[in-house]
Amino acid sequence: ALLKLLDSGIAEICTQSQASTLANLEALLQELKALNPDAQIILVGYYNPLPFLPTYGRHFRLLNRSVKALAQQYGADYVSIPYTSIANDGHPTVCGHKYIARQILKAVRK
């Protein structure tokens, strides 16, 4: 019952936040490209901080698809981090941070 209560209304909040997140991200990409068109831009995807809420999982999958599409549109490199280990508070653990760092390092051009 508690999970159902927590999950109620999340879909609308996620839809609203996704639109503003993507608009802000696109504006940022445009500005970065204008300032330095030759710089490597790396967009790191999102991990799901609340895997026990189904709506969040759907939200983050859709958000990551949209972020990946923006990366392709602007010639940025997209880094997926779906296997981030998280603590009970939804933040990455030490292992989670190491995993994210390794994923980013794989994308950095030398």
Side-chain angles (χ1 to χ4, degrees), residues 27-39 41 43:
L28 179 64
L29 286 166
Q30 290 170 351
E31 184 70 19
L32 288 170
K33 282 292 190 182
L35 290 171
N36 191 344
D38 298 324
I41 299 172
L43 290 181

Side-chain angles (χ1 to χ4, degrees), residues 26-83:
E26 186 165 17
L28 179 64
L29 286 166
Q30 290 170 351
E31 184 70 19
L32 288 170
K33 282 292 190 182
L35 290 171
N36 191 344
D38 298 324
Q40 180 186 15
I41 299 172
I42 297 174
L43 290 181
V44 178
Y46 293 89
Y47 66 90
N48 183 356
L50 299 170
F52 52 86
L53 294 178
T55 301
Y56 268 67
R58 288 188 299 276
H59 169 69
F60 283 101
R61 282 190 301 276
L62 180 59
L63 182 59
N64 280 322
R65 280 195 298 269
S66 299
V67 171
K68 187 175 182 178
L70 274 177
Q72 290 172 340
Q73 180 182 343
Y74 286 91
D77 295 304
Y78 175 76
V79 173
S80 179
I81 56 168
Y83 305 114

Side-chain angles (χ1 to χ4, degrees), residues 3 82 92 98:
L3 289 179
K98 288 178 182 180

Side-chain angles (χ1 to χ4, degrees), residues 84-106:
T84 301
S85 177
I86 58 171
N88 290 337
D89 65 358
H91 291 90
T93 62
V94 171
C95 289
H97 281 288
K98 288 178 182 180
Y99 164 74
I100 293 168
R102 282 192 307 272
Q103 298 305 103
I104 293 170
L105 286 174
K106 289 178 191 177

Side-chain angles (χ1 to χ4, degrees), residues 15-27:
T15 300
Q16 292 172 356
S17 68
Q18 181 174 328
S20 61
T21 297
L22 293 172
N24 291 335
L25 186 55
E26 186 165 17

